Amino acid sequence: MKQWCLVCLVLLLIQSGKIVLQVEAGDGFISTRGTQLVLDGSPFYANGFNAYWLMYMASDPSQRNKVSSAFEEATRHGLTIARTWAFSDGGYSPLQYSPGSYNEQMFKGLDFVISEARKYGIKLVLSLVNNYADFGGKKQYVDWARSQGQYLTADDDFFSNPVVKGYYKNHIKAILTRCNSMTGVVYKDDPTILAWELINEPRCSSDPSGGRIQSWITEMASHLKSIDGNHLLEVGLEGFYGPSSAQKQQLNPYFQIGTDFILNNQIPGIDFATVHSYPDIWLSNSSDVEQLSFLKNWLNNHIEDAQSTLQKPVFFAEFGKSSRDPNFNMYQRDLLYNTVYSAIYSSAKGGGAAVGGLFWQLLTEGMDSFRDGYEIVLSESPSTASLIVEESEKLNHIRKMYARGKTPMMEREQNIRKTI
């Protein structure tokens, strides 16, 4: 009875933030080794999903079952990575009311997401701000600075104005040093988090040279790493090529947005590359056959560049096909998923740089207002769900081989000998 009372007292102190649990770096944290991610000494490959809505839904205790259901369904389909927002700036029910002023109810929602992810064995990629005005984004930061007398002419000033950059740096610190009210673990010490993402899909069209974003990434990566030396960091790039690889700019879908896949990912502190793939948006006037041809070329070039030039892992962090497209059919969506998954597996089984893919986006039943055309409700999409399970099993098989001290090449040779 006394032991039970002591346990209850400790839990209460954790909830109040008076006890902070320490987690040693290296205990469940994912690191990099060349072009591979590594967990507990073995290469780590994983299949995953996007669910931007997790914190928002979890901020309402009556809706937290949606988060639990999503994680439970994901786990049953072998999905072990979730990418989600750790931002909501200004506007309705935000995380950050104004610079440095936070909504505790929303923060507790994020606490729940991290706690629940740990429960289900899911690693998280947490994005820290949006390029777009949805959930505030860089526009909100610029507006906040304007209200304090800063003369700013465009949202792209987010990347260069010292006041705005100060606001964002403070947000980084607030997130990384948050003590989880449910686990007692400070975010920067929690191995449930796989990586931080600086910004979702950065774009700075006012500077096609890419210099402004390059400087911003360099500064912010250094700042974040000075606070958190445990976690990996990625930029949040879509994968567009810039001036540093002019011969490959022809692969871009007809526009330049001020990012540079090669240079941006070579910045010290950036641990792995990301690529997004939306041929139905980027090549909306092209046929399904042309879009698929573009996708294959897009995937293969980025895997090769990650392997040979960057010598870093690469995640295909967003991909999908909208059911709102004219003449949409499930076969074409499944073909896109299969194309992405096949490229990842082909690289991974040879020890290459592709380490996983995260489709956009996972929903559970009863979330119709969150549908955007790209949603996957696993119970409604059996053919797509089957492809997801298959990819999960393949990547998990590679992980198990490495854990047994084998490589995919060694296993193939062993299988060949068995047939002789």
Side-chain angles (χ1 to χ4, degrees), residues 13-38:
L13 289 170
I14 288 173
Q15 291 282 338
S16 67
K18 293 178 180 177
I19 287 182
V20 177
L21 302 183
Q22 297 296 323
V23 178
E24 292 297 322
D27 182 13
F29 286 92
I30 292 179
S31 59
T32 60
R33 184 170 60 209
T35 59
Q36 293 178 323
L37 296 182
V38 176

Side-chain angles (χ1 to χ4, degrees), residues 171-183:
H171 176 63
I172 289 176
K173 184 176 181 181
I175 295 291
L176 272 56
T177 59
R178 165 75 175 183
C179 180
N180 192 311
S181 63
M182 297 183 175
T183 65

Side-chain angles (χ1 to χ4, degrees), residues 86-259:
F87 63 79
S88 180
D89 304 306
Y92 172 74
S93 192
L95 172 62
Q96 190 175 194
Y97 291 116
S98 59
S101 176
Y102 287 89
N103 179 348
E104 181 63 17
Q105 188 64 28
M106 191 64 69
F107 239 143
K108 286 182 176 178
L110 188 54
D111 291 346
F112 178 82
V113 170
I114 295 171
S115 174
E116 202 71 354
R118 173 191 286 190
K119 174 181 172 182
Y120 283 96
I122 290 175
K123 296 285 188 180
L124 297 172
V125 176
L126 298 180
S127 188
L128 296 168
V129 72
N130 205 0
N131 179 74
Y132 311 108
D134 305 277
F135 298 93
K138 66 184 184 185
K139 181 181 187 304
Q140 181 62 75
Y141 277 85
V142 169
D143 287 345
W144 281 333
R146 280 199 188 106
S147 71
Q148 295 302 309
Q150 293 292 301
Y151 178 71
L152 303 175
T153 60
D155 293 347
D156 284 352
D157 289 335
F158 173 86
F159 298 108
S160 56
N161 179 266
V163 172
V164 174
K165 290 193 292 183
Y167 291 161
Y168 177 67
K169 285 180 178 180
N170 290 340
H171 176 63
I172 289 176
K173 184 176 181 181
I175 295 291
L176 272 56
T177 59
R178 165 75 175 183
C179 180
N180 192 311
S181 63
M182 297 183 175
T183 65
V185 180
V186 174
Y187 286 10
K188 69 184 181 69
D189 296 327
D190 195 334
T192 307
I193 299 166
L194 185 156
W196 303 109
E197 177 177 283
L198 287 178
I199 179 171
N200 173 51
E201 298 188 343
R203 294 185 174 192
C204 186
S205 301
S206 60
D207 179 21
S209 75
R212 191 183 298 184
I213 280 187
Q214 182 77 359
S215 295
W216 182 86
I217 296 168
T218 302
E219 182 177 349
M220 297 308 163
S222 176
H223 175 70
L224 188 146
K225 289 285 188 168
S226 73
I227 300 170
D228 181 358
N230 291 330
H231 290 102
L232 301 180
L233 176 64
E234 49 99 349
V235 181
L237 296 170
E238 296 163 273
F240 301 125
Y241 290 99
S244 72
S245 48
Q247 75 282 4
K248 289 204 168 184
Q249 285 184 299
Q250 62 182 344
L251 296 172
N252 292 344
Y254 311 121
F255 52 84
Q256 303 296 328
I257 45 85
T259 60

Side-chain angles (χ1 to χ4, degrees), residues 248 299-311 314 353:
K248 289 204 168 184
L299 297 168
N300 292 333
N301 272 276
H302 284 86
I303 291 173
E304 173 59 29
D305 288 334
Q307 181 77 32
S308 302
T309 304
L310 298 176
Q311 297 181 354
V314 59

